[in-house]
Amino acid sequence: MKNLFVFSWCHLWSMKAGVGAPSYHHTINYYINSDKWNVWLFTADRTNMELDGRAHVYLFSFPEIIERICGIPKLGYPFRTIKYWCYTYWACMYAKRIIKNLSGKSVAYAYEFWGVKAANMISKRFNIPLVTRFQGTFLMDKKDRWRDRFCRYPEYSAITTKADLIVMTNDGTQGDIVLKRLKNFSTTLFLRNGLDLYDKYESVMSNVDCLEERNKLGLSDRDKICMTASRLVDWKRVDRAIYALSEVLKKEPHAKLIIAGDGTERTNLEKLVKKLNLERAVIFLGSVPHDILYKYMLMSDVFLSLYDLTNLGNPTFEAMLMKRAIITLNNGGTNTVIQNEKNGILLNLDQLDQLPDKIIELFINEEKREKLAEEAFDYAKRNFYSWDTRLKLEADVINGL
């Protein structure tokens, strides 16, 4: 058995157990369930306790007051760096004690930037391979000035670290370009995330009664529904969907907006809905387990993804597999998947004023809506894969290091 030393600050799920982005959860479970790896996890996330008994979990506790300060814009930057180094020291200290007494080959695996420094130090100290894994990057629009490097020191330090293998998620944030720009030419796997839905989309589509699901939310068959699904944070820009709905309602009084997800921006979004008098037309679902989320996708008419950075997240891919007509923004690498008027509607940022009209057009033109949905579904079947397939691609390369 090989030993996989995983260094990460991430939560197993981005929202709560079973809810939100599943990439980290699937990754850890894949290696735990493999007959080739013993997993040693150095983390500060208490929800990782669900792995006890299946992985060796070491928990780092950090004062809650520091966590809160880290979340304050500008003021939090130096505290984030302090937190970064405290975790690095603690993780290295424990990993050194453990690895000395182990037999068999080992790999240092950093999941996201918080764990890279510690994993790199252990890799060099014990001469073992280093793998760094990123869920994307926020550095594409940064200018690499001293101010940016200071404010985002952990990110820059991690992304410029040379590794035996870098696994960079192809999520539209153009991490492959960022690596080259920062002169990190390490061997790189540039892969999309897998999909939970991939192996079961047919059963979901055949077993969901859309009218029944609508009735559960107090919606009728006359209602025209658009939907968003994401963590409710500022850069996901769910407010754009709300503003668009206020215009759509002027021509389509039965329009509704379903917002799936939760997060720090929810309160502001609810205030916006109240300010625009849209309480009867907007439904906040909160955090929704994936199996239920798919049902809501299937009963909606149009799926909206209007993020600032990129719109190639799993919700968009899942909506494609659910045969939904998609309206999204042409930023990041979105146009590598969505082709305007072929398998979705693609708007440039300076065309956002057209969003209400595009929504109304798809509400009215059922033939066009279904054509876009079919093309999206066809693309998804040909180009996406399950989490098991995605992680096997990664694990096969790591096994050969």
Side-chain angles (χ1 to χ4, degrees):
M1 295 281 282
K2 295 181 181 181
N3 300 295
L4 190 71
F5 285 79
V6 180
F7 301 87
S8 180
W9 196 283
C10 294
H11 297 286
L12 274 181
W13 295 91
S14 64
M15 294 184 189
K16 60 184 180 181
V19 178
S23 51
Y24 185 33
H25 180 269
H26 280 296
T27 299
I28 294 297
N29 274 286
Y30 182 88
Y31 288 106
I32 287 175
N33 294 329
S34 169
D35 58 2
K36 297 179 180 178
W37 298 96
N38 283 318
V39 176
W40 306 76
L41 179 60
F42 302 88
T43 179
D45 172 29
R46 294 186 180 279
T47 65
N48 282 304
M49 291 296 98
E50 72 175 78
L51 301 176
D52 271 359
R54 300 190 300 130
H56 307 278
V57 180
Y58 294 83
L59 182 66
F60 173 59
S61 296
F62 210 79
E64 179 65 27
I65 184 64
I66 301 297
E67 291 283 11
R68 292 179 180 176
I69 295 175
C70 287
I72 301 175
K74 297 183 180 180
L75 177 64
Y77 289 133
F79 286 92
R80 291 172 72 234
T81 301
I82 292 171
K83 183 173 75 169
Y84 176 71
W85 278 108
C86 287
Y87 168 80
T88 298
Y89 172 80
W90 168 85
C92 285
M93 179 180 66
Y94 274 91
K96 286 177 182 177
R97 293 177 184 176
I98 296 164
I99 200 170
K100 288 178 181 179
N101 300 314
L102 292 178
S103 59
K105 296 182 179 181
S106 298
V107 172
Y109 185 107
Y111 193 99
E112 270 301 338
F113 60 87
W114 286 104
V116 172
K117 183 69 70 176
N120 189 36
M121 293 172 71
I122 291 298
S123 169
K124 290 180 176 178
R125 172 68 176 80
F126 294 97
N127 193 30
I128 62 176
L130 171 65
V131 177
T132 58
R133 163 83 178 277
F134 301 99
Q135 298 176 137
T137 177
F138 286 95
L139 300 183
M140 183 62 192
D141 62 342
K142 303 303 176 185
K143 301 184 184 300
D144 303 337
R145 299 169 299 191
W146 71 266
R147 180 178 178 278
D148 292 319
R149 287 180 175 265
F150 171 76
C151 292
R152 292 187 174 272
Y153 167 74
E155 291 96 319
Y156 274 98
S157 174
I159 206 96
T160 56
T161 297
K162 305 297 190 296
D164 295 282
L165 176 67
I166 297 176
V167 183
M168 174 65 73
T169 301
N170 179 5
D171 67 341
T173 55
Q174 300 175 294
D176 56 336
I177 296 175
V178 172
L179 286 168
K180 292 177 182 177
R181 190 183 76 202
L182 297 178
K183 296 180 171 55
N184 190 342
F185 301 108
S186 303
T187 300
T188 303
L189 278 179
F190 190 54
L191 301 171
R192 292 193 185 104
N193 280 331
L195 295 179
D196 281 320
L197 184 62
Y198 194 84
D199 296 324
K200 53 188 177 184
Y201 64 85
E202 290 181 338
S203 63
V204 172
M205 287 192 289
S206 61
N207 291 322
V208 173
D209 185 329
C210 292
L211 183 57
E212 180 183 347
E213 295 301 324
R214 285 178 175 233
N215 290 337
K216 289 179 181 178
L217 293 180
L219 302 172
S220 71
D221 57 351
R222 293 186 303 168
D223 289 324
K224 302 295 185 181
I225 301 171
C226 47
M227 178 179 179
T228 69
S230 69
R231 281 185 299 119
L232 302 185
V233 292
D234 55 0
W235 70 273
K236 303 281 188 175
R237 296 305 303 269
V238 175
D239 61 303
R240 288 171 172 158
I242 295 172
Y243 280 118
L245 178 70
S246 67
E247 295 298 316
V248 170
L249 284 166
K250 295 175 182 179
K251 296 182 179 179
E252 176 48 74
H254 295 291
K256 296 290 189 294
L257 172 63
I258 293 176
I259 299 174
D262 212 339
T264 54
E265 195 68 9
R266 177 166 177 170
T267 299
N268 291 331
L269 294 172
E270 289 175 335
K271 289 179 180 178
L272 177 61
V273 167
K274 187 173 182 179
K275 176 183 175 181
L276 297 175
N277 296 315
L278 300 177
E279 292 98 325
R280 294 184 178 181
V282 178
I283 299 173
F284 286 90
L285 296 178
S287 300
V288 180
H290 285 92
D291 287 348
I292 298 176
L293 177 65
Y294 303 146
K295 295 180 180 180
Y296 291 128
M297 281 186 176
L298 200 57
M299 72 180 215
S300 65
D301 299 294
V302 178
F303 185 84
L304 304 175
S305 183
L306 307 168
Y307 304 171
D308 272 340
L309 298 177
T310 174
N311 289 277
L312 295 186
N314 273 36
T316 298
F317 299 158
E318 289 162 349
M320 294 173 76
L321 271 176
M322 286 284 91
K323 290 189 180 180
R324 296 304 91 192
I326 294 168
I327 302 178
T328 187
L329 297 182
N330 185 17
N331 54 10
T334 308
N335 60 11
T336 62
V337 172
I338 302 297
Q339 298 178 47
N340 189 36
E341 299 290 345
K342 185 176 187 334
N343 61 354
I345 300 295
L346 201 60
L347 296 175
N348 295 323
L349 283 172
D350 59 3
Q351 297 175 313
L352 268 171
D353 59 328
Q354 299 178 23
L355 178 58
D357 289 335
K358 294 296 182 181
I359 294 173
I360 292 171
E361 179 185 7
L362 293 186
F363 280 167
I364 295 173
N365 192 337
E366 183 176 354
E367 182 180 351
K368 180 175 182 178
R369 188 173 73 240
E370 292 183 353
K371 179 179 179 296
L372 293 176
E374 285 289 346
E375 289 287 347
F377 177 64
D378 183 61
Y379 182 96
K381 285 195 300 179
R382 289 185 287 106
N383 292 279
F384 301 156
Y385 32 64
S386 68
W387 269 112
D388 190 64
T389 300
R390 154 66 183 82
L391 288 166
K392 186 178 186 303
L393 291 171
E394 173 186 314
D396 285 347
V397 178
I398 295 176
N399 280 329
L401 292 178

